Amino acid sequence: MELVAILGRNVRAARQRAGLSQEDLALEAEMKRSYLSDLERGVRNPSVRALGRLAKALGVEAAELLRDPPRS
């Protein structure tokens, strides 16, 4: 799976686990909701700064957002 798609899936899952809306997470991570939406859909390449902001806002390590889960 492409890295941007993995990131998007992991950000969405972490956001939902945290009980946050896209708007809430975008505000906490200091980014536009539309940018976050693009990231979650895997159609936008994130900057390193955006990755760090998302990880901090979600309370996870940045590496966790890039980790491809094991295949079953």
Side-chain angles (χ1 to χ4, degrees):
M1 182 179 275
E2 192 175 332
L3 191 56
V4 293
I6 292 167
L7 172 72
R9 184 191 61 229
N10 290 342
V11 168
R12 179 178 288 128
R15 176 180 60 77
Q16 290 173 339
R17 279 194 307 271
L20 297 171
S21 68
Q22 282 186 344
E23 189 70 36
D24 292 336
L25 178 55
L27 183 64
E28 186 68 28
E30 300 176 2
M31 61 181 58
K32 293 186 179 208
R33 190 213 48 84
S34 59
Y35 180 76
L36 175 59
S37 175
D38 288 348
L39 290 177
E40 284 190 1
R41 290 183 292 123
V43 298
R44 188 143 186 187
N45 290 317
S47 67
V48 173
R49 181 172 286 136
L51 179 60
R53 287 178 181 172
L54 284 169
K56 183 177 179 183
L58 290 165
V60 300
E61 294 292 325
E64 185 178 327
L65 297 178
L66 298 172
R67 195 167 293 129
D68 195 7
R71 308 207 188 239
S72 25

